Structure formats: C-alpha cells, structure tokens
C-alpha cells in the first residue's frame, strides 16, 4: 500500500512466553528467555524498492553475522530490551516489547524541528545510545518507520515521513551500525496511534519508530 525503501548498497522453534516484572518500569512484560529452550547523505532518489527481510537476512548471514536459534532468540532480545531501557530512560523515547520484536517510539517533537527532516543536534546523544546497543547486539534487523499527523497534503506527509525515517537510519549508520541491517519506510498519516482531532493526539502521531527483529 505504501512504497517501502531500502538503504542503498544492501545485498539483495516455538518459544513459550512467561511474565516477569520489568526492572525499570515495574510493569509486567513478556520474557522469552524464561519460556525459550557508508549510507552517508543518501537522498530519496538514491533509494531502491524494498528488498525483503530475507534479502537482508541472507546478506548478513553471508557476511558472517551468525543467526540466532532456539532459546538464544529470546535471550538476546531480552538483553537488547534491558540495555535499551537503561540507555533511554528519561529521554522521551519509549521501548515496547511484543514477542521477539522491540519497538522504539521517538516523538518527532524531540527529534526534528517543525516540518524539518534533519535530526536535531540535541537528539544526537539519544541516537548515540541506540547505536551503542545496536552495535553491541548486531543480530537484529532494523526497520525505521516514519509517521506524521493528518495536517497537510498526503504527498507532503508521505515524503516528510520517509525523509525523517531515512535521516534516523543515516545517523545510526554513521555511528557504525551495519547499513545492511536497515530498511526504511514512510507511512505519512496512514498509521495514527491517537486521534488527529486534538493537538496532543497529533503530537503522538508525529513520530519515528525503530523496530528490531531477531536475525533467525
């Protein structure tokens, strides 16, 4: 439905969940460990159409990045989650875990200037912290999603969301995260998480998300 794009230069069993208390938030979360046995300044025109997750996976495995299997999947994602929560505490970036995937939600109000696609300099330390964890745990695929509110034209929102997602991916790659792990997508206003009828809702909808999935 929406065009997905990949960073240029990319080479194209079942776990039982158990609940535990998150040490940083006090909330209940799923622990799969318990249940389980350069990109440079790329412009939009430099992007190709999406090569699927299998293409990234094959490229990484072919380059010698070992895939995860069995209980290691949940264990590694538990470690990823714990370190991301520790690094991002108090930054305004939320960390959500669903199964073996981790989603980072970065509100655009703290990431970008109004209607701009360049990452704000005061947000660099936050992305540096994300890059630190991504480099340490390199057995994940990294999908970067851009979203906007409903203000403005559909095409403008789509283009802006894509450029913002690309800016985040570019920055992380510049901090040493393997570019072959990335795919970038812009969804414009099509995936709201709150009502666009209020200022608070629109602020929630303007965001960049980073989804981490295990390399299996």
């Amino acid at each position: 439905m929406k065009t997905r794009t990949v960073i240029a230069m990319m080479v194209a069993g079942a776990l039982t969940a158990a609940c535990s208390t998150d040490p940083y938030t006090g909330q209940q979360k799923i622990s799969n460990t318990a249940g389980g046995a350069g990109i440079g300044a790329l412009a939009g025109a430099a992007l190709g159409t999406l090569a699927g997750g299998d293409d990234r996976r094959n490229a990484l495995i072919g380059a010698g990045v070992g895939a995860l299997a069995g209980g290691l999947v949940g264990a590694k994602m538990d470690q990823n989650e714990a370190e991301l929560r520790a690094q991002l505490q108090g930054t305004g970036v939320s960390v959500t875990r669903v199964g073996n995937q981790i989603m980072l939600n970065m509100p655009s109000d703290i990431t970008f200037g109004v209607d701009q696609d360049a990452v704000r300099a005061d947000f660099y330390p936050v992305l540096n912290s994300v890059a630190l964890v991504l480099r340490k745990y390199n057995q994940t695929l990294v999908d970067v999603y851009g979203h906007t509110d409903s203000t403005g034209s559909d095409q403008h929102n789509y283009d802006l969301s894509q450029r913002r997602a690309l800016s985040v991916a570019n920055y992380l790659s510049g901090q040493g995260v393997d570019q072959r792990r990335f795919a970038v997508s812009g969804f414009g206003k099509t995936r709201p998480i709150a009502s666009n009828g209020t200022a608070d809702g629109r602020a929630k909808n303007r965001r960049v998300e980073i989804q981490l999935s295990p390399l299996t």
Side-chain angles (χ1 to χ4, degrees):
M1 184 172 68
K2 285 293 181 181
T3 302
R4 284 168 58 88
T5 55
V6 289
I7 304 301
M9 299 171 59
M10 182 185 299
V11 179
L15 298 176
T16 303
C19 286
S20 64
T21 301
D22 189 289
Y24 303 103
T25 66
Q27 296 177 334
Q28 289 295 106
K29 71 178 186 71
I30 299 299
S31 170
N32 288 317
T33 301
I39 297 178
L42 290 179
L47 301 175
T49 54
L50 175 70
D54 286 343
D55 295 309
R56 286 183 287 164
R57 183 178 298 108
N58 293 339
L60 291 165
I61 292 174
V65 179
L68 298 170
L72 284 178
V73 177
K76 284 294 184 182
M77 297 311 289
D78 283 348
Q79 292 170 3
N80 269 271
E81 180 189 10
E83 292 216 22
L84 285 166
R85 288 187 183 278
Q87 291 283 346
L88 298 175
Q89 194 170 32
T91 63
V93 176
S94 66
V95 181
T96 304
R97 174 76 173 271
V98 178
N100 282 322
Q101 291 184 321
I102 298 170
M103 182 74 80
L104 309 181
N105 185 331
M106 302 178 171
S108 68
D109 290 356
I110 64 173
T111 316
F112 301 97
V114 176
D115 207 34
Q116 300 296 308
D117 57 27
V119 177
R120 286 170 41 167
D122 58 356
F123 197 70
Y124 290 170
V126 177
L127 289 180
N128 291 343
S129 295
V130 174
L132 180 70
V133 178
L134 293 182
R135 291 197 308 269
K136 183 175 181 179
Y137 300 103
N138 67 340
Q139 294 165 301
T140 55
L141 300 178
V142 185
D143 290 277
V144 187
Y145 304 137
H147 306 273
T148 68
D149 62 24
S150 61
T151 305
S153 71
D154 290 351
Q155 189 62 53
H156 175 77
N157 285 330
Y158 171 64
D159 291 344
L160 179 62
S161 68
Q162 199 167 44
R163 293 196 310 271
R164 285 180 167 181
L166 181 59
S167 290
V168 170
N170 276 338
Y171 186 89
L172 293 172
S173 178
Q175 298 305 304
V177 181
D178 190 338
Q179 68 224 26
R180 291 169 297 190
R181 297 166 66 184
F182 287 96
V184 175
S185 307
F187 293 102
K189 67 179 185 180
T190 64
R191 295 190 175 184
I193 56 174
S195 170
N196 277 307
T198 67
D200 182 63
R202 289 191 295 274
K204 288 183 171 68
N205 291 332
R206 297 188 298 267
R207 67 200 190 277
V208 169
E209 298 170 324
I210 299 176
Q211 178 178 279
L212 306 181
S213 303
L215 179 67
T216 57

